[in-house]
Amino acid sequence: MSRSLSADRVSAIAAEALSLLGTGRQVAPFTARYPDLDLGQAYEVAARLRDLRASRDERAVGRKIGFTNRAVWASRGIAAPMWGYMFDTTVHDLSATGGTFALGALPEPRIEPEIVVHLAAAPTPGMSEAELLECIDWVAHGFEIVFSIFPGWRFEAADATVAYGVHGALLLGERRAVRDDRADWGRRLSDFDIELARGDGATWHGQARNVLGGPLTALRFLVEEIARHPASEPLGAGEIVTTGTLTEAPAAVPGERWSTRLGGGIGLNGLELAFA
């Protein structure tokens, strides 16, 4: 079991992470400086960082699940998924942005096509995927923009957790209600494919099972993972969860245009995004 960090160590790491946010600066991974920092301790820091962001009027509105796509683990030096908080300052309807996103000072940004769910009721550990679906009232497709404060995207899961879950922004497409036909949505979310395309014709392909077997499976992982760590606040009604990248996460560059196409009967429209 993970040993709890001292309050001073939690505060010091959280303060350093907050000081880097929005600056474009990068540092050595925290695990290189604190070799005993593990994932459980990193969630303690994440909770403190959430509180620090709340003090500057950033409200936590949900969670992102990271590294659910096992295909990218080797290239990232990661051996398991993790999660981080999302905020009202980082989650946006894509239509409200005019279909553009300014990468600004995000270091080494990448784009991830994802499935997003909204919780109308709080899920609990031990729920089946069908029971978890009963907690959801809408589903959307979205782009998560991720970035790394560690050069070359070289870090451990604990580092990524401390570094805001590498979350920069979530850009949401159309929200589709699931209340009227949850059984059908269970099928749709378990079996679909996606194409991510860059304006120069390059494409990346993925499918539902890439995120730990499917978005609902990823959500179940999140519920169970949160329960394993006492410092982590349980998921609540009203939270948004983005379930992980369905394809590899290509580098994002200002001036590029991106689009997605979803198939397999999921019933969600593709998205278009331009980077500034």
Side-chain angles (χ1 to χ4, degrees):
M1 179 179 291
S2 173
R3 292 190 305 168
S4 181
L5 287 175
S6 70
D8 287 346
R9 178 67 62 85
V10 168
S11 294
I13 297 175
E16 181 180 352
L18 186 65
S19 74
L20 296 167
L21 187 61
T23 68
R25 291 189 292 119
Q26 293 177 297
V27 295
F30 290 101
T31 53
R33 291 173 279 157
Y34 306 103
D36 58 341
L37 181 66
D38 62 21
L39 190 55
Q41 295 168 342
Y43 286 131
E44 294 182 52
V45 178
R48 176 60 178 152
L49 189 55
R50 176 203 60 205
D51 294 341
L52 290 174
R53 293 182 74 162
S55 70
R56 22 186 259 180
D57 296 325
E58 293 187 82
R59 180 174 61 88
V61 296
R63 322 289 173 103
K64 62 78 52 81
I65 315 175
F67 310 117
T68 52
N69 190 336
R70 295 183 179 91
V72 304
W73 285 3
S75 64
R76 299 284 180 272
I78 296 294
M82 42 67 69
W83 63 267
Y85 288 99
M86 301 188 294
F87 296 85
D88 56 358
T89 53
T90 66
V91 177
H92 314 280
D93 285 332
L94 184 57
S95 60
T97 72
T100 64
F101 180 78
L103 293 168
L106 297 180
E108 300 188 46
R110 294 178 177 270
I111 182 172
E112 298 185 342
E114 310 204 3
I115 296 299
V116 184
V117 301
H118 181 263
L119 299 174
T124 56
M127 279 187 167
S128 67
E129 292 183 14
E131 291 170 326
L132 288 171
L133 191 55
E134 290 290 329
C135 296
I136 296 169
D137 59 353
W138 59 255
V139 171
H141 171 37
F143 289 121
E144 187 182 14
I145 312 304
V146 295
F147 69 102
S148 176
I149 61 172
F150 312 113
W153 279 82
R154 296 296 177 185
F155 49 73
E156 297 183 14
D159 296 301
T161 301
V162 170
Y164 346 106
V166 303
H167 170 74
L170 177 65
L171 308 171
L172 287 168
E174 179 186 7
R175 306 174 188 198
R176 296 289 306 278
V178 304
R179 285 193 182 100
D180 294 337
D181 201 347
R182 282 194 168 89
D184 187 47
W185 273 102
R187 178 194 60 77
R188 295 188 199 186
L189 289 169
S190 67
D191 186 19
F192 65 89
D193 57 78
I194 186 169
E195 177 185 85
L196 173 68
R198 195 169 58 200
D200 63 1
T203 58
W204 292 259
H205 296 86
Q207 51 220 340
R209 65 176 177 267
N210 284 0
V211 288
L212 298 180
L216 292 174
T217 310
L219 177 59
R220 185 169 62 185
F221 157 80
L222 176 61
V223 175
E224 303 292 340
E225 178 72 358
I226 288 173
R228 288 181 58 236
H229 299 284
S232 303
E233 184 178 2
L235 285 166
E239 289 201 56
I240 296 167
V241 176
T242 191
T243 56
T245 186
L246 294 156
T247 68
E248 294 181 38
V253 177
E256 289 178 341
R257 300 191 68 87
W258 292 83
S259 63
T260 54
R261 178 196 58 78
L262 291 96
I266 190 172
L268 293 173
N269 294 325
L271 301 176
E272 295 184 357
L273 174 65
F275 286 124

